[in-house]
Amino acid sequence: TNGAANINRSASFNLNVNDDPVSDSGDDRSPELQAQALSRSFAERYGSYSSNHPFQNLMDLRLFMTERFWSASERLIAGAQAPTSYYGVTSKAVRVNTIRFETGEDRATFQVALQRRESRADADPVVYYQNLTLHLLRSGGEWLVDEAAWEKVP
């Protein structure tokens, strides 16, 4: 069975791409601003994790991923082992940079700078900054994330 078949498409999770502070004009935003808003919201959810609900962040994002990226995510989930004690990380986007966007093309690349707060059961929280590069494809008029790559933390 394909894991996508198990997704509840009426789930209460909503990736709110209309909260982009750059524009509050709703559906009248340019395709670049729409893709940028998706990148911001996607990166925050993608970069947040809790061992209390392992990989729920990825499952919540399924509808915003291409089939190729979802398949890679399923392999990651299947091969992962849950931590034995609490582990969590929250991510907040502080900046979104357009790396590549051509009007009329169905591809775009954005780099999202995130502030991340990592918590462990046996240690004080650690705050650090990390960039996430997202490659998007437009399919059927909708932007979908096709790849996500973390920059290594120094």
Side-chain angles (χ1 to χ4, degrees):
T1 307
N2 181 339
N6 295 328
I7 298 297
N8 177 356
R9 296 198 183 271
S10 63
S12 61
F13 172 73
N14 180 21
L15 188 67
N16 194 349
V17 297
N18 292 320
D19 283 346
D20 182 18
V22 175
S23 171
D24 62 357
S25 58
D27 295 336
D28 294 334
R29 292 178 298 171
S30 72
E32 182 176 0
L33 287 179
Q34 291 172 12
Q36 193 176 68
L38 171 65
S39 295
R40 174 183 301 275
S41 297
F42 187 96
E44 287 182 348
R45 175 62 84 168
Y46 186 80
S48 298
Y49 173 88
S50 171
S51 59
N52 290 340
H53 303 284
F55 299 105
Q56 187 63 47
N57 60 328
L58 298 182
M59 291 180 274
D60 286 346
L61 291 171
R62 164 64 189 105
L63 296 176
F64 303 97
M65 296 179 183
T66 62
E67 285 299 320
R68 185 180 80 82
F69 190 37
W70 174 243
S71 292
S73 297
E74 282 184 309
R75 287 190 300 278
L76 173 78
I77 293 167
Q81 291 186 350
T84 56
S85 61
Y86 177 76
Y87 172 79
V89 61
T90 57
S91 297
K92 175 71 177 153
V94 293
R95 184 180 62 255
V96 180
N97 292 325
T98 301
I99 303 299
R100 178 175 178 246
F101 188 92
E102 300 280 336
T103 303
E105 280 194 26
D106 291 333
R107 296 180 178 274
T109 303
F110 296 93
Q111 184 182 65
V112 184
L114 296 154
Q115 179 186 56
R116 306 188 75 202
R117 184 174 193 264
E118 190 175 69
S119 301
R120 297 178 186 275
D122 56 355
D124 290 334
V126 175
V127 175
Y128 60 96
Y129 294 84
Q130 190 172 18
N131 293 328
L132 179 65
T133 300
L134 297 173
H135 299 277
L136 280 64
L137 297 176
R138 188 167 33 200
S139 175
E142 298 293 326
W143 287 105
L144 299 173
V145 178
D146 189 50
E147 184 179 346
W150 288 106
E151 184 178 284
K152 290 188 179 185
V153 177

